[in-house]
């Protein structure tokens, strides 16, 4: 009997291991201003991402009125253009949500889901309605700011899709995940983030409270500036968070063995990790400080892309590139972009993204992908 049980247990362990090994990785991209794309650029982008086997596109809600990275923008306002709306439905301007309604239907037809950041540190720092009222520190500590911001999150996830007729929180065929804010708290430094980890969990609890436990949509953090800042112990122990998002541009954070130490922490905590933002600088500066400089030789940049995508994938992390753009890259400052028009690095990025799709992941994201 004992022997039988032992054999049975070993078999179970074997099946579990086989199950874990069966999960494949994937790649995707970011385009913060996707809601501003004209139809022809949207088609170029989605065809391009699909040709690379990319599965997820991360987008933000910040209003845009001017050309971004050489991409023409159809202008749209902030969700809260003139005042903090605090849950008053008629006060929000839903234009950005309606733009993304169309975008997510188009993306779905290319096998791509959206990852939606419902606010960004960038908008706060640029003095949007929250920045104007609270500044970049009190926004995270003032209880009125927190409750008004929670109302924004509730408004977004309950937005009823204009053609599908269901609220976003039910659209798991179109939406991969929700994040409260891109890079929350980064302007206040790593110590502030460490001291205010609860902010992330409180916002995630608000989001999860709307989604419920079986929405098929992931609740994620939105990343910080580098690996050690992005992965905080109280994020790993927060019930409402499914995925800890990592943003990293320093090349040490791309080392397989370094990433693996975070992977094992996440696995022990029952959380998943994603390299949600990474990129290879176009210039010959340090990779994590890429304002301007002399262009790297294409072969050198392509070797960087190949190496870093390879080490991230080898550690079992899916990744989203910052960023694939639907036009020729004008090489403005802080240039990690790869253009879908005439860019000598696009075929390299396609290759490494396809390789991710065929590689083993440390986490099983397959139920959340098309
Ligand atoms: C939302 O913004 C658009 C573009 O600025 C504007 O045309 C529209 O009237 C606004 N809608 C509301 C409800 O304020
Ligand atoms: C980048 O290249 C320029 C031109 O060759 C050179 O002067 C500069 O020192 C390089 N910068 C770095 C950080 O390597």
């Amino acid at each position: 009997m004992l022997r039988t049980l032992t054999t049975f247990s070993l078999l179970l362990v074997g099946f579990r291991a086989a199950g874990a090994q069966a999960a494949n990785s994937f790649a995707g991209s970011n385009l913060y201003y996707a809601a501003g794309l004209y139809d022809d650029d949207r088609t170029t982008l989605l065809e391009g991402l699909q040709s690379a086997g990319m599965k997820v596109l991360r987008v933000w809600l910040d209003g845009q009125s001017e050309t971004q990275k050489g991409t023409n923008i159809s202008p749209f306002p902030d969700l809260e253009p003139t005042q903090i709306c605090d849950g008053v439905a008629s006060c929000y301007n839903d234009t950005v949500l309606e733009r993304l309604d169309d975008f997510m239907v188009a993306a779905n037809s290319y096998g791509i889901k959206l990852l939606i950041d419902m606010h960004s540190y960038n908008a706060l720092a640029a003095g949007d309605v929250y920045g104007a009222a609270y500044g970049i520190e009190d926004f995270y500590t003032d209880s009125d700011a927190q409750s008004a911001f929670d109302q924004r999150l509730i408004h977004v996830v309950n937005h009823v899709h204009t053609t599908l007729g269901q609220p976003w929180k039910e659209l798991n065929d179109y939406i991969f995940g929700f994040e409260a804010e891109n890079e929350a708290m980064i302007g206040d430094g790593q110590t502030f983030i460490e001291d205010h980890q609860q902010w992330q969990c409180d916002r995630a609890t608000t989001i999860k409270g709307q989604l419920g436990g079986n929405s098929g949509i992931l609740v994620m953090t939105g990343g910080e500036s580098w690996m050690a800042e992005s992965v905080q112990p109280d994020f790993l122990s927060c019930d409402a968070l499914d995925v800890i998002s990592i943003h990293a541009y320093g090349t040490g954070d791309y080392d397989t063995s370094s990433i693996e130490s975070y992977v094992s922490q996440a696995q022990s905590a029952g959380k998943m990790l994603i390299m949600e933002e990474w990129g290879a600088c176009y210039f010959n500066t340090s990779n994590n400080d890429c304002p301007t400089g002399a262009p790297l030789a294409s072969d050198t940049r392509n070797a960087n892309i190949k190496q870093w995508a390879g080490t991230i994938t080898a550690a079992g992390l899916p990744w989203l590139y910052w960023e694939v753009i639907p036009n020729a890259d004008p090489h403005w400052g802080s240039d990690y972009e790869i253009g879908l028009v005439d860019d000598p690095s696009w075929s390299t990025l396609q290759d490494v993204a396809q390789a991710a799709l065929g590689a083993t992941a440390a986490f099983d994201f397959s139920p959340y992908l098309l």
Side-chain angles (χ1 to χ4, degrees):
M1 190 64 193
L2 186 60
R3 177 177 291 166
T4 311
L5 268 180
T6 306
T7 308
F8 185 58
S9 311
L10 282 173
L11 268 174
L12 272 183
V13 169
F15 278 132
R16 282 206 194 105
Q21 278 164 9
N24 275 26
S25 196
F26 69 95
S29 190
N30 288 270
L31 195 66
Y32 65 85
Y33 53 79
L37 293 192
Y38 288 100
D39 284 355
D40 53 346
D41 282 341
R42 184 176 79 189
T43 301
T44 301
L45 181 74
L46 291 171
E47 283 178 359
L49 299 181
Q50 184 185 46
S51 74
M54 289 182 169
K55 295 289 182 189
V56 171
L57 177 67
R58 179 166 175 261
V59 304
W60 301 358
L61 302 186
D62 304 349
Q64 300 292 345
S65 54
E66 289 165 11
T67 304
Q68 301 287 311
K69 301 178 191 288
T71 311
N72 295 322
I73 294 290
S74 171
F76 61 100
D78 280 348
L79 179 62
E80 293 170 89
T82 54
Q83 58 182 308
I84 295 173
C85 291
D86 205 10
V88 177
S90 60
C91 168
Y92 296 94
N93 189 306
D94 288 341
T95 304
V96 63
L97 308 181
E98 290 161 4
R99 294 280 187 90
L100 293 175
D101 284 345
D102 289 344
F103 203 114
M104 68 175 73
V105 170
N108 172 282
S109 74
Y110 290 87
I112 294 165
K113 290 196 202 180
L114 300 187
L115 166 52
I116 298 172
D117 280 51
M118 296 185 271
H119 192 240
S120 76
Y121 167 75
N122 313 57
L124 183 74
D128 75 347
V129 291
Y130 292 100
Y134 295 105
I136 63 162
E137 194 167 308
D138 287 359
F139 173 68
Y140 301 102
T141 55
D142 186 289
S143 59
D144 289 342
Q146 292 171 5
S147 71
F149 187 65
D150 280 344
Q151 291 301 320
R152 174 189 174 99
L153 306 178
I154 291 168
H155 181 79
V156 172
V157 301
N158 287 288
H159 167 70
V160 177
H161 192 287
T162 35
T163 56
L164 298 172
Q166 280 173 278
W168 278 11
K169 66 184 178 185
E170 294 176 7
L171 295 179
N172 61 23
D173 284 340
Y174 301 84
I175 298 173
F176 174 78
F178 284 115
E179 307 190 316
E181 184 170 79
N182 172 62
E183 296 180 349
M185 305 183 261
I186 61 164
D188 302 312
Q190 182 163 340
T191 305
F192 186 92
I193 294 168
E194 288 164 359
D195 291 347
H196 297 88
Q197 298 178 44
Q198 188 62 35
W199 186 91
Q200 281 283 9
C201 192
D202 288 345
R203 306 292 81 73
T205 303
T206 296
I207 300 167
K208 190 74 127 193
Q210 298 295 311
L211 267 54
N214 297 306
S215 66
I217 299 175
L218 297 163
V219 180
M220 310 176 45
T221 55
E224 305 295 351
S225 299
W226 48 81
M227 176 71 86
E229 206 179 57
S230 294
V231 186
Q232 297 293 341
D234 295 355
F235 300 173
L236 291 170
S237 63
C238 173
D239 282 346
L241 281 169
D242 302 308
V243 181
I244 317 303
S245 321
I246 299 156
H247 295 188
Y249 292 87
T251 58
D253 279 347
Y254 302 154
D255 286 348
T256 300
S257 59
S258 163
I259 297 171
E260 279 171 344
S261 67
Y262 290 91
V263 166
S264 39
Q265 285 179 49
Q267 285 174 331
S268 310
K271 302 297 182 198
M272 302 201 281
L273 298 180
I274 187 170
M275 185 67 82
E276 183 182 71
E277 280 191 21
W278 75 278
C281 179
Y282 173 76
F283 302 115
N284 67 341
T285 58
S286 300
N287 198 67
N288 62 347
D289 183 17
C290 178
T292 184
L296 287 174
S298 296
D299 285 355
T300 307
R301 188 179 187 214
N302 288 343
N304 288 342
I305 293 166
K306 203 171 169 196
Q307 182 189 340
W308 298 330
T311 55
I312 295 164
T313 297
L317 287 200
W319 50 262
L320 310 183
Y321 193 77
W322 183 275
E323 309 182 296
V324 178
I325 57 176
N327 46 274
D329 187 347
H331 303 305
W332 294 356
S334 298
D335 184 11
Y336 300 95
E337 275 66 45
I338 293 178
L340 284 168
V341 178
D342 291 337
D343 194 314
S345 293
W346 171 237
S347 62
T348 301
L349 192 68
Q350 276 179 309
D351 289 348
V352 295
Q354 291 283 2
L357 211 49
T360 301
F363 311 97
D364 186 2
F365 281 92
S366 58
Y368 302 96
L369 302 173
L370 292 173

